Amino acid sequence: MDQQQTLKKSPPKTPYPRDCTFSKEDWTTLSTYWYPIAQAAEVNEKPLSVKLLDVNLVVYRTKTQVVVARDLCVHRGTPLSMGWVEEEEIVCPYHGFRYNTEGACTSIPAHPDANISPRLCMTVYPVIEQFGLIWTSLTGEMDNIPQFQAWDDPDFQQIVCPSFDIGGSAGRQMEGFLDVAHFAWVHTDTFGDRNNAFVPRYKVDKTDYGLNVEYLSTVSNYSKEQAHLNPENFKWLRVFDVYPPFTATLKVYFPEGGQLWIMNAVCPVSARETRLFVPIARNFDKDSPVEGVYDFNLRVFDEDREMVENQKPEDLPLDLQMEAHIAADQTSIAYRKLLKSMGLSFIYTS
């Protein structure tokens, strides 16, 4: 089971970033939510530089906890990710300033006996380690961490796929993950079938966390190499849960009781840069090499990436009059309405 921790009791104050690619109104709204920024396995005592909503962050692991902070030494603006960790403190490489896990400066080597002002501190953000990922929020105000029960189920194998970078907006990527009409056209090399493009009617339900969708069709989830395993006329149930703004889960029910759980967890690096994290859990083929899962996942999301990176407008329009819609787009329409209800702008965005 993953550990959960919160490293900051009161929300930090982060100014609107200089040269931010989001409007100030959208950035202010988005900054209240939680996002994954790194795989837990890649976070160690070597500081890691990441970016969230155009804010440069540093993430590292001490002996007792994970720390996420502004990637900035307040003395002369040097990125702390260029430094190193000693015990429970991160050290700035420029002048040796040291900061503890709460952000307070504990040492100024040039003046070892000086009283250190409490204003001399780095900005530390709340942290949750869950589903093999490190999550943070620029304010910690909203609670949108998804449910993913299979992650703690001993009957399931848990896999964290390598992160995946997309030169497009988070909103477009999320909508593509939720779309059921593109299987036959975009995923023809992995699992889609041009001769099975029909989308049956389905229902979208609003929930207290976002959206729930149950979609039943004959579109197989087996790869083309395993297509022979698909029973004739088998009905595949796919259950989507949406946790706005940019996380969704998909449960796929296979023949003979097999279940595949996929989390589409998005880090909006900027308005045009998206980093995708994909925790997966399955209760079948648990002894098979995980490299096969990595490979298939990469192929599927590569097919999606080509679409997302070429869509115009790059932003996801929340004004429903800006693009045409069909009956198969019920989930997309509900998702756009959900983002609009959060206060995001009509032509939003990423």
Side-chain angles (χ1 to χ4, degrees):
M1 181 181 296
D2 290 326
Q3 291 183 341
Q4 296 193 29
Q5 62 184 35
T6 299
L7 302 184
K8 193 74 172 178
K9 293 181 180 179
S10 59
K13 293 183 179 179
T14 302
Y16 179 61
R18 182 180 181 182
D19 301 324
C20 186
T21 56
F22 300 89
S23 72
K24 187 171 185 179
E25 294 74 18
D26 283 344
W27 184 88
T28 300
T29 297
L30 293 172
S31 68
T32 64
Y33 290 88
W34 289 80
Y35 305 94
I37 57 169
Q39 294 184 45
E42 66 180 343
V43 177
N44 51 43
E45 70 280 357
K46 179 176 175 57
L48 177 67
S49 174
V50 298
K51 184 185 286 188
L52 170 64
L53 296 171
D54 288 311
V55 177
N56 291 310
L57 304 174
V58 60
V59 55
Y60 57 94
R61 194 183 296 272
T62 71
K63 290 184 176 180
T64 61
Q65 62 190 56
V66 174
V67 178
V68 176
R70 283 288 300 275
D71 194 9
L72 182 75
C73 177
V74 295
H75 175 228
R76 287 294 182 265
T78 305
L80 290 169
S81 58
M82 295 174 63
W84 59 91
V85 174
E86 292 182 0
E87 298 298 329
E88 296 296 294
E89 298 179 325
I90 189 168
V91 183
C92 175
Y94 199 0
H95 297 95
F97 282 42
R98 302 171 73 100
Y99 300 89
N100 65 22
T101 58
E102 296 298 318
C105 180
T106 63
S107 175
I108 301 175
H111 305 290
D113 298 324
N115 291 323
I116 301 175
S117 168
R119 296 182 59 186
L120 210 168
C121 61
M122 66 178 183
T123 302
V124 177
Y125 297 99
V127 174
I128 292 177
E129 184 171 348
Q130 187 67 287
F131 314 128
L133 306 176
I134 303 300
W135 302 71
T136 194
S137 169
L138 299 182
T139 69
E141 294 177 17
M142 304 299 289
D143 179 13
N144 66 306
I145 299 294
Q147 296 294 313
F148 203 55
Q149 292 88 346
W151 196 258
D152 296 321
D153 191 327
D155 291 333
F156 282 75
Q157 176 190 28
Q158 291 77 30
I159 302 169
V160 181
C161 294
S163 60
F164 188 81
D165 290 331
I166 301 166
S169 73
R172 286 291 196 186
Q173 191 283 327
M174 263 286 291
E175 187 176 73
F177 180 75
L178 301 172
D179 186 289
V180 295
H182 77 289
F183 296 162
W185 308 98
V186 175
H187 297 301
T188 51
D189 290 338
T190 50
F191 68 93
D193 180 1
R194 290 278 171 88
N195 296 314
N196 190 6
F198 174 69
V199 175
R201 291 173 63 89
Y202 63 92
K203 184 181 178 183
V204 179
D205 291 314
K206 293 187 67 175
T207 67
D208 57 351
Y209 56 81
L211 301 172
N212 173 264
V213 182
E214 293 195 3
Y215 177 63
L216 192 65
S217 77
T218 58
V219 176
S220 171
N221 213 86
Y222 283 122
S223 67
K224 287 296 181 69
E225 295 79 7
Q226 296 180 310
H228 62 282
L229 299 176
N230 188 34
E232 187 175 357
N233 298 320
F234 182 76
K235 293 292 183 70
W236 289 80
L237 175 63
R238 292 175 170 88
V239 179
F240 295 89
D241 287 289
V242 179
Y243 300 85
F246 304 131
T247 301
T249 63
L250 167 62
K251 296 186 282 288
V252 185
Y253 291 84
F254 278 66
E256 300 181 3
Q259 294 183 33
L260 175 68
W261 293 44
I262 305 170
M263 179 180 290
N264 187 90
V266 175
C267 173
V269 176
S270 73
R272 299 289 178 273
E273 301 169 276
T274 296
R275 177 159 292 174
L276 177 63
F277 297 93
V278 187
I280 289 176
R282 62 182 181 181
N283 65 353
F284 59 93
D285 292 344
K286 292 186 288 184
D287 295 327
S288 300
V290 295
E291 286 75 17
V293 178
Y294 295 163
D295 177 67
F296 184 69
N297 182 74
L298 176 62
R299 288 166 58 197
V300 171
F301 281 104
D302 250 338
E303 292 169 334
D304 286 322
R305 174 166 57 183
E306 185 177 6
M307 298 297 110
V308 173
E309 292 184 343
N310 286 282
Q311 286 180 277
K312 295 293 183 294
E314 295 88 348
D315 297 333
L316 181 66
L318 301 192
D319 182 348
L320 296 181
Q321 302 303 312
M322 290 187 63
E323 292 184 331
H325 308 282
I326 59 176
D329 296 329
Q330 289 182 76
T331 306
S332 170
I333 293 170
Y335 175 58
R336 295 187 187 197
K337 289 180 177 179
L338 191 58
L339 294 182
K340 179 182 174 183
S341 71
M342 293 165 49
L344 296 172
S345 53
F346 281 113
I347 191 164
Y348 180 79
T349 85
S350 312

